[in-house]
């Protein structure tokens, strides 16, 4: 039996404090990025086919765009330093700095010890969505990615087209290594176009039909040389379930663009984090 203390209401009424005030956080130069994207030249593209993943490379100082092309579809995005796979997207710290969902002007941060911005959102056609009445929003950094291990735990069976497996196969093929060697590099994702939140009563992670429509896109500026992998989630728009062969699924287009020559000559890639790594020793 749980007994509430006499001052339970007072304890609940304590005002929250933001864990990481971002007043001192280095801010992206959005004016420079917007100038850089005024005259873009497409240099590459890839297609993440339904229930599959695709890899792509983006040189530092270039832009990449993920677009819905045929129907409402969410995607799971991994990013690595193309020259050092141990530096990769850190969803937990991105969430701590920016909140549960990211949009234009916010950044994807890398893992320790780098802890630097590796990509900045420069355009988001779903930026109008905001936070809905259920507490849901778009492009989340709270979901980990659908995976065959949780699927097996909750439902049994061997489902191989979860985003975790899709990303593993794509990275293995790109690097020409066994899947067992590629799998440890797969990490928590940016859930592109996915509409999610936490229930008010139980605090559970929820998803709902994505508002994405063909032609919608999210665009990023590559702060460092990037290797990316994007999975077209087997849940389609995630209106009912993920890890499903029944949901309607559609491809996602990834395009890479170079800015006009000379426009970003004064831009420099961000340095790795300045902590000395002595840890008090």
């Amino acid at each position: 039996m749980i007994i509430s203390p006499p001052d339970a209401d007072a304890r609940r009424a304590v005002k929250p404090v933001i864990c990481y005030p971002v007043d001192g956080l280095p801010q992206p130069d959005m004016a420079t990025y917007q100038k850089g994207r005024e005259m873009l030249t497409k240099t590459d593209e890839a297609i993440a086919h339904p229930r599959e993943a695709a890899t792509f490379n983006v040189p530092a100082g270039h832009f990449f765009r993920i677009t819905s092309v045929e129907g409402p579809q969410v995607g799971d995005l991994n990013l690595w330093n193309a020259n050092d796979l141990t530096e990769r997207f850190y969803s937990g710290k991105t969430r701590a700095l920016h909140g549960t969902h990211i949009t234009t002007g916010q950044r994807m941060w890398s893992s320790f010890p780098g802890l630097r911005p590796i990509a900045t959102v420069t355009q988001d056609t779903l930026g109008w969505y905001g936070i809905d009445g259920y507490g849901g929003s778009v492009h989340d950094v709270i979901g980990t990615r659908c995976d065959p291990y949780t699927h097996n735990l909750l439902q049994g069976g061997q489902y191989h087209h979860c985003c975790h497996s899709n990303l593993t196969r794509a990275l293995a093929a790109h690097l020409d290594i066994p899947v067992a060697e590629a799998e440890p590099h797969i990490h928590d994702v940016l859930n592109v176009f996915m509409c999610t939140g936490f229930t008010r009563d139980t605090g559970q992670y929820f998803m709902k039909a994505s508002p994405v429509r063909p032609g919608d896109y999210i665009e990023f500026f590559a702060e460092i040389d990037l290797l990316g992998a994007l999975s077209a989630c087997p849940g389609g728009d995630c209106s009912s379930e993920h890890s499903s062969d029944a949901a309607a699924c559609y491809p996602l287009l990834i395009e890479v663009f170079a800015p006009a020559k000379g426009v970003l000559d004064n831009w420099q890639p961000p340095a790795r984090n300045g902590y000395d790594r002595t840890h008090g020793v």
Side-chain angles (χ1 to χ4, degrees):
M1 179 178 179
I2 299 175
I3 301 176
S4 297
D7 62 345
D9 289 342
R11 295 192 202 183
R12 294 191 190 98
V14 172
K15 291 184 178 180
V17 176
I18 298 299
C19 294
Y20 293 100
V22 294
D23 295 346
L25 191 68
Q27 296 299 307
D29 184 352
M30 296 303 293
T32 294
Y33 296 156
Q34 293 306 316
K35 184 177 180 181
R37 65 185 303 278
E38 287 176 359
M39 296 183 62
L40 296 175
T41 300
K42 185 173 175 178
T43 60
D44 200 5
E45 73 170 45
I47 295 285
H49 295 287
R51 297 184 179 85
E52 295 292 347
T55 58
F56 57 97
N57 284 93
V58 190
H62 286 51
F63 296 82
F64 69 99
R65 187 180 297 169
I66 298 170
T67 304
S68 167
V69 288
E70 292 182 13
Q73 175 68 41
V74 308
D76 286 41
L77 177 65
N78 268 188
L79 291 180
W80 299 267
N81 179 337
N83 305 305
D84 176 8
L85 295 189
T86 65
E87 184 177 17
R88 61 196 195 183
F89 170 52
Y90 186 178
S91 66
K93 190 57 66 178
T94 299
R95 179 171 64 249
L97 293 172
H98 294 305
T100 56
H101 301 75
I102 63 172
T103 188
T104 305
Q106 296 177 322
R107 309 176 106 168
M108 299 174 70
W109 294 79
S110 72
S111 54
F112 299 150
L115 194 60
R116 58 175 168 171
I118 57 173
T120 300
V121 182
T122 49
Q123 290 285 304
D124 174 15
T125 65
L126 294 178
W128 57 266
Y129 191 89
I131 301 175
D132 64 31
Y134 297 98
S137 193
V138 184
H139 311 308
D140 90 56
V141 287
I142 48 180
T144 57
R145 65 199 174 277
C146 59
D147 69 90
Y149 302 99
T150 305
H151 185 276
N152 179 271
L153 178 69
L154 298 178
Q155 302 179 42
Q158 305 293 321
Y159 187 74
H160 304 303
H161 288 272
C162 297
C163 287
H164 177 88
S165 297
N166 296 347
L167 294 167
T168 298
R169 290 194 306 275
L171 183 64
H174 178 82
L175 299 177
D176 194 21
I177 59 176
V179 292
E181 187 176 335
E183 185 175 19
H185 292 293
I186 305 305
H187 51 278
D188 287 352
V189 298
L190 170 63
N191 280 306
V192 176
F193 304 139
M194 193 170 181
C195 189
T196 59
F198 292 105
T199 59
R200 304 295 193 190
D201 51 356
T202 63
Q204 289 175 286
Y205 180 54
F206 73 75
M207 60 186 187
K208 55 184 291 192
S210 173
V212 69
R213 297 293 181 269
D216 280 322
Y217 66 87
I218 184 170
E219 180 190 277
F220 305 83
F221 178 78
E223 302 283 356
I224 63 173
D225 291 337
L226 292 173
L227 169 62
L230 179 72
S231 170
C233 182
D237 68 355
C238 288
S239 57
S240 59
E241 60 180 338
H242 50 60
S243 304
S244 164
D245 282 332
C249 290
Y250 303 94
L252 292 170
L253 172 66
I254 307 127
E255 299 171 287
V256 180
F257 301 91
K261 187 175 181 179
V263 174
L264 297 178
D265 280 354
N266 293 326
W267 170 83
Q268 294 291 327
R272 290 177 179 267
N273 190 270
Y275 177 62
D276 65 13
R277 303 186 65 188
T278 59
H279 303 289
V281 176

